Amino acid sequence: MTDAARTEPVPAALEITCDESGYEGEKLVGGVTDVFAHASVRIDDQTAADCITELRLRIRSPATMYKANHLLRSKHRAVLLWLLGPDGPLLGNARVFLVDKTYFLACGLVGHLGARPALARFLYDAARRTAEAEAFLVAANDFLRFTFRDQHPVVSPLDPLIPAIVRAVEYWGSDGRPVAIAHDRQTTLSPERVFTLRRSAPNFAGLEQVDSFTDQRVQVADFLAGVARKVASDQLKGADDTEVSALLRPYLDPRSLWIDEPSWTRLTR
C-alpha cells in the first residue's frame, strides 16, 4: 500500500446536547434577564431519562415538564444539591458558558466604534451605577440591532447564542474530535447561521434542533442552564449562595464573557 493510499480513520463525532437560559436574541439590556447561560452536556438518552425519573420522584410535582424553577424553590434545595453534586449525573459531563449581557453589549458597541477596548469596561461600570448610562446602552442596543441587521444579515455580533455554541464545540472538541450539537429549537438557528458555525469552529460536525418536550437530554441541559443563570444573576446583585455556588463552580467555563470581579470571584473560587 502506498503512502497516498493510507488514511487515518475519522473519529466518530461526539454528540453534545445544549440548551440556554436568559436568551432574548439581540436584546441585551432593558429586557427580562441580565445573564445568558448556555449549558452543554455529554449525556445519553438512558442517563437523561433516569435523571428525569429521579427528579420526579424527589420533587413530586404534577407538572408535565419540569424546569429549572422547580429546582430553585427552597423546598427542593436538596434535589438541586443532588443534581449538581457528586451523586448526580452531571459532574464531569457538563459545562456552562455565562454571558453578562451588559458587558457583551458594551464590547459590541466599542468594537463597532473602533474605540479602545478599555472603554467597554467604562461603559459597563457606568451603566451599573447610573440610570442615564443604562438608558444610553438601551438606545445603543436598539441602534446596533438595526445596524448589524443590515451589515451582518446572517450572524449578528450581538447574538450571544452563536459564540456560546462555538465555545461548546471548542471545549468538547479540544482533543481534535468532531463535535455534533443537538440543540433545543431556536428560530435564530437558521441554516445560514449554522453554516457559518463551520468557519468559526473547525471541529463542528453539524447541528440538529430537537424538541425539548420529547428529548430528555435537553431537559437536563435546561436545568443546568437555568440554575446557572439564576445563581450568576444573583451574584451580580451581591446575593451569594455559597453552597450552590460551590457546587456550580466545576461546571463554569473560565472563558465566560464576564468582567465583574467580585461576582466572578465568588462564583469561581
Side-chain angles (χ1 to χ4, degrees):
M1 181 182 294
T2 65
D3 290 341
R6 294 193 184 98
T7 58
E8 293 294 330
V10 177
L14 175 66
E15 186 170 70
I16 299 299
T17 306
C18 303
D19 200 3
E20 49 69 29
S21 180
Y23 185 52
E24 299 175 72
E26 299 163 12
K27 186 174 182 61
L28 298 171
V29 293
V32 178
T33 59
D34 55 358
V35 172
F36 168 80
H38 187 265
S40 54
V41 300
R42 179 181 55 193
I43 190 171
D44 59 36
D45 292 330
Q46 188 58 55
T47 302
D50 291 344
C51 178
I52 299 298
T53 298
E54 184 67 22
L55 290 175
R56 287 193 172 277
L57 288 172
R58 291 172 179 250
I59 293 176
R60 297 188 179 280
S61 167
T64 303
M65 182 176 174
Y66 284 12
K67 303 290 285 184
N69 61 354
H70 287 92
L71 292 170
L72 291 166
R73 295 169 186 168
S74 57
K75 64 180 179 179
H76 297 145
R77 185 177 182 86
V79 187
L80 172 59
L81 300 182
W82 168 79
L83 180 67
L84 297 178
D87 296 328
L90 293 180
L91 192 61
N93 296 303
R95 203 71 166 172
V96 179
F97 181 77
L98 295 175
V99 176
D100 181 332
K101 295 201 284 187
T102 301
Y103 176 58
F104 187 51
L105 170 61
C107 291
L109 177 60
V110 167
H112 177 69
L113 296 175
R116 293 182 296 109
L119 180 59
R121 177 59 185 265
F122 174 81
L123 290 172
Y124 174 80
D125 289 341
R128 297 190 65 196
R129 288 196 311 268
T130 69
E132 292 80 5
E134 182 181 17
F136 168 77
L137 279 187
V138 171
N141 193 177
D142 290 340
F143 168 75
L144 289 177
R145 287 165 66 188
F146 290 107
T147 300
F148 287 153
R149 197 165 296 167
D150 293 334
Q151 297 180 351
H152 306 275
V154 177
V155 178
S156 169
L158 291 184
D159 188 345
L161 184 59
I162 301 304
I165 295 175
V166 170
R167 180 57 193 147
V169 173
E170 290 175 345
Y171 174 76
W172 294 105
S174 60
D175 60 355
R177 186 175 179 180
V179 176
I181 299 293
H183 206 290
D184 187 25
R185 294 187 185 279
Q186 287 289 349
T187 56
T188 55
L189 289 175
S190 64
E192 293 79 13
R193 288 193 171 192
V194 173
F195 178 78
T196 64
L197 285 169
R198 297 185 184 276
R199 291 182 293 178
S200 302
N203 291 355
F204 178 61
L207 183 144
E208 176 188 8
Q209 298 198 56
V210 295
D211 190 342
S212 60
F213 286 96
T214 57
D215 194 309
Q216 293 179 310
R217 299 171 304 164
V218 173
Q219 294 174 32
V220 174
D222 174 74
F223 293 140
L224 182 58
V227 168
R229 185 201 62 77
K230 179 62 165 59
V231 172
S233 181
D234 286 348
Q235 290 286 12
L236 272 179
K237 300 176 179 67
D240 184 15
D241 186 328
T242 57
E243 186 177 29
V244 175
S245 292
L247 288 176
L248 186 62
R249 195 164 296 143
Y251 300 97
L252 298 183
D253 191 328
R255 290 173 58 181
S256 295
L257 299 179
W258 206 271
I259 199 172
D260 180 66
E261 290 94 346
S263 59
W264 189 248
T265 297
R266 291 191 298 269
L267 284 166
T268 60
R269 296 181 187 173

